[in-house]
Each structure stands twice: as structure tokens, then as C-alpha cells.
Amino acid sequence: AFRPMEAVTGGISRSQLTMGANQAHGFPGSYQGHITDPRNHGPNIPAQRSTSLMIQNLPPGCTEGKLLQNLCEHGPFGKVYKTHVVPGGPGHSVYYPTSMAKISMWTRVEAESLFQFINSRRLIIDGYTASVRWDMKMLTPEVRGERPHASRVIRIGGPASIVNEDTLSQYLRTKLVYRTQRIETVYTDGKDTQMVWIFASFQAQAKAAMKALKAEWPMLSVGYGVDPMA
């Protein structure tokens, strides 16, 4: 198939221009949607109310689990509402030599605590010192009306034939796209098992998993646990 050569203007390629425009509007450089379409923008939260941070200069191939585990080692900072990593490096992005992440906390106070830590240049992962800035395009959990006791951690108990990583993973993959920080079996006697699933996000992950499990497997004991970053 015919593929035209990349246009270059003043020594800057079209892809580089696109990347710069995306970043200027708060999108990843590799974003391929329409940055001027209002439907692709989140709400503009006042600076003093935002609970979302943009973290840059993470190591290539960084994952949500790796980022969150490193933050837990320096915490506590508070409850995580949402985490999303755009991995850089070979095989992930032609634009970024490093990874970047967006992380939203449950409250402004928690977000400020995390911001101060990263801004002090103390978050170093695999030799990469992270940088941080505020992001203004995320509704806060308070505005969304989320229950205060909810979290990204789910405790699941029930028959060992169901409550195991293989069975639950296969089931949850049919219901949602998710990432985890850690999955632990905290008790089992061969008949009954209790597990803790620590998702990367409450929004669209732990919350959706909780709803699905309660609706379709009522015989299980399912509840929220304590965020390890809190």
C-alpha cells in the first residue's frame, strides 16, 4: 500500500507538530483523537479543587502496578481514585523515551501530599527521577458522589473453587479492562479462601468489579478494603 513520506516543516516533522499540540492541550503526544472536540475534554476543575496529577519521566515500560508499589513504599499519601500509565520506550510509543502517568487521589489534601513528595524529586524509579504537575480535567470523587468508605481494594471470600486468581481473572476479564497493583491470598484451608485484589483504580475497575461480583456471584463475601497508600 502507498504510504506518503512524512511531511516536514522547518525541520519539524508533522508527527512532532501533532505531538506538541496534543501535549499543549493536556493530551498524550501519541493521542490520535480530535483535541479541539469538547467531547474529548474532561471538565475544567478549578486549580484549587483538582485532585489529579500528571507524573512524567517514569522509566520506559512502567506499569500502574510498579508506580503504585513504589509510591506505597514512601507513603502514606491517601486513597487512589484512578491511575493510568502511558508506557514509553521501544514497543510502546514512538514519541516517548520515558513513561508518563495520570493519578487522581480521593481528596485535595491527599493530592497535595502526593504532589509535594514527587515535586521534591524524591520519587526515583529505576534511576528515573519523576516530575509532576497538576491536571485540571478530572471530576473529583466528591463531585461524583462516591461513597467515602469505597476504595480500589476489594476483599473477596468464598469457595476455593471460585475464589482463586485464575477463576476470578477469567471472569473479570469478561466484564472490564483492569490493572492491578497486587493480588493476595490472605487465607485458605483448601475449602474456603479469602483474597485481596488491589486494583490500579477505583473508577471503572474496583467499582465495576464489585458490582459484577455482587450481582452474579451472590454466594461470595465481597467488600472494600483499605488502600495500601492510605
Side-chain angles (χ1 to χ4, degrees), residues 33-228:
H34 297 286
I35 63 175
T36 57
D37 188 336
R39 293 173 297 179
N40 291 333
H41 289 257
N44 288 318
I45 300 298
Q48 68 274 17
R49 293 183 59 196
S50 174
T51 64
S52 296
L53 307 176
M54 190 70 74
I55 306 173
Q56 297 176 302
N57 201 45
L58 297 170
C62 188
T63 64
E64 288 87 351
K66 186 170 189 174
L67 170 62
L68 292 167
Q69 188 60 41
N70 273 270
L71 288 173
C72 283
E73 294 172 3
H74 296 283
F77 299 109
K79 288 201 303 183
V80 174
Y81 183 63
K82 180 180 180 180
T83 311
H84 176 66
V85 171
V86 180
H92 293 286
S93 171
V94 296
Y95 301 119
Y96 296 115
T98 58
S99 302
M100 61 187 296
K102 181 173 180 176
I103 183 167
S104 300
M105 303 299 289
W106 211 266
T107 69
R108 173 68 183 196
V109 171
E110 293 168 338
E112 287 178 347
S113 174
L114 183 57
F115 178 90
Q116 291 168 7
F117 168 73
I118 301 174
N119 198 45
S120 67
R121 301 182 64 80
R122 287 184 286 168
L123 178 59
I124 303 173
I125 304 177
D126 295 345
Y128 289 79
T129 302
S131 61
V132 65
R133 63 179 176 82
W134 287 101
D135 183 85
M136 309 302 172
K137 294 183 171 64
M138 182 71 187
L139 283 175
T140 64
E142 180 183 14
V143 171
R144 291 179 180 271
E146 304 293 2
R147 291 175 294 175
H149 73 278
S151 78
R152 66 189 177 100
V153 180
I154 293 182
R155 302 183 67 90
I156 308 170
S161 59
I162 298 175
V163 184
N164 60 78
E165 186 171 346
D166 288 342
T167 301
L168 291 176
S169 294
Q170 290 176 20
Y171 169 73
L172 290 174
R173 281 197 293 266
T174 69
K175 301 297 179 180
L176 62 143
V177 176
Y178 66 90
R179 301 288 186 272
T180 59
Q181 176 184 336
R182 194 167 67 250
I183 300 172
E184 296 180 354
T185 297
V186 295
Y187 168 82
T188 185
D189 60 6
K191 180 180 178 181
D192 295 306
T193 299
Q194 294 181 0
M195 298 188 74
V196 174
W197 285 60
I198 306 175
F199 291 87
S201 301
F202 167 75
Q203 185 198 33
Q205 294 188 24
K207 183 179 182 179
M210 172 78 78
K211 183 177 180 180
L213 289 168
K214 283 191 169 183
E216 298 191 13
W217 276 340
M219 78 290 292
L220 301 181
S221 172
V222 185
Y224 289 115
V226 177
D227 191 318

